[in-house]
Amino acid sequence: MEAEQPLPPQQKLRERIVFAVDIGPDGAAKMGPLSSRLLAARQLIKKFIQLKSWMSTSHEYAILTFSATTFWHCEFGKQPDELYRIVDEISLSDHEVTYFDMQSLFEAMQEIDFFRQNKFCAFDSLYVVSLWLYIRAPLSPPIVPYRGQASIFTALTYQHDKVADDNKVQDVFDFLNEIDEEKGYCLETRLFKRMNKFMILLLAHGQQRAPHQPAEAFLL
């Protein structure tokens, strides 16, 4: 898949969109005056599905959740009302989390036959997008470094604490930014308003978004 090859605006490709949602304990931290990070993520996922479904009813959505490892929360579906209910069921893990096995996330996605076929190209009738909502801040970067797959457009949003001596926010961001350097986005913030803008940006097909700009050396 050539990231630099533009997609003709008149061509609407059906997308399979996988939300990968962090359910570690940091999801309880505040993001905005009335919301935790996880509640903000749930709200924005539902808004994303609503707006994307208005664009085309052919898109499909699935949800993965991860804490120490990754689990399927919902396989692919198209009905917004049912998806909203499932999104509202996402809850934080009750277990203490000290690491994240990122390999498990990609292995979960590889269970789908479409990923195994690896026949995607710029003008296929199906395009796979993986949107990560990564929340944790104090932990070290995920174990098992893993590069993005050629057949999947990966975009990451990183909700984090203020950078401090007692957390590893910068290290985690640097790691996440390397996952899909060529065509993926790595978007970070502590503010709900910016997260809202990020999700609106990600509504666009991966090949119709502005080229990815290399990240700055430090978090904003």
Side-chain angles (χ1 to χ4, degrees):
M1 207 163 22
E2 298 294 335
E4 66 274 10
Q5 184 174 7
L7 183 73
Q10 70 275 15
Q11 184 170 348
K12 297 180 180 179
L13 299 190
R14 179 167 61 98
E15 296 177 56
R16 278 197 157 191
I17 299 165
V18 182
F19 296 101
V21 184
D22 190 346
I23 58 170
D26 283 2
K30 286 291 184 181
M31 189 178 204
L34 301 175
S35 184
S36 69
R37 290 177 186 162
L38 180 61
L39 290 176
R42 285 173 15 187
Q43 178 180 342
L44 292 172
I45 289 172
K46 290 191 290 184
K47 184 176 182 179
F48 183 100
I49 293 173
Q50 179 188 44
L51 295 175
K52 195 76 171 177
S53 298
W54 284 349
M55 297 177 187
S56 173
T57 57
S58 65
H59 301 314
E60 298 179 63
Y61 311 88
I63 301 170
L64 295 167
T65 58
F66 61 87
S67 52
T69 188
T70 305
F71 302 93
W72 279 100
H73 184 79
C74 166
E75 296 187 0
F76 285 101
K78 294 182 179 181
Q79 301 301 320
D81 289 342
E82 178 65 14
L83 290 163
Y84 299 157
R85 181 189 64 77
I86 293 171
V87 170
D88 283 335
E89 293 175 351
I90 299 175
S91 58
L92 296 177
S93 172
D94 295 330
H95 304 289
E96 182 180 0
V97 180
T98 57
Y99 72 96
F100 169 39
D101 179 3
M102 186 175 287
Q103 179 81 28
S104 67
L105 191 153
F106 286 92
E107 288 176 351
M109 291 195 292
Q110 286 174 340
E111 295 174 4
I112 305 170
D113 287 337
F114 286 111
F115 296 154
R116 293 198 191 100
Q117 292 172 12
N118 196 25
K119 294 180 180 178
F120 302 100
C121 66
F123 300 103
D124 271 341
S125 61
L126 182 64
Y127 195 86
V128 180
V129 179
S130 173
L131 301 182
W132 297 17
L133 286 84
Y134 196 84
I135 293 172
R136 66 197 70 186
L139 301 183
S140 299
I143 63 173
V144 192
Y146 200 105
R147 295 285 177 173
Q149 294 170 260
S151 59
I152 305 172
F153 184 97
T154 302
L156 300 120
T157 65
Y158 180 28
Q159 304 172 42
H160 58 78
D161 300 335
K162 185 176 181 179
V163 179
D165 293 337
D166 60 348
N167 65 36
K168 298 182 181 294
V169 172
Q170 183 68 56
D171 293 340
V172 173
F173 175 72
D174 291 343
F175 177 88
L176 295 175
N177 195 58
E178 294 177 358
I179 291 176
D180 200 356
E181 291 179 292
E182 293 184 1
K183 62 184 188 299
Y185 281 5
C186 184
L187 308 168
E188 57 78 25
T189 187
R190 295 185 292 119
L191 306 175
F192 179 77
K193 285 185 177 180
R194 289 192 71 196
M195 270 299 297
N196 187 61
K197 291 180 179 179
F198 290 164
M199 295 299 281
I200 292 173
L201 170 70
L202 297 175
L203 284 168
H205 189 286
Q207 290 166 268
Q208 292 176 321
R209 297 174 193 162
H212 175 63
Q213 298 296 323
E216 296 294 335
F218 299 97
L219 294 172
L220 299 177

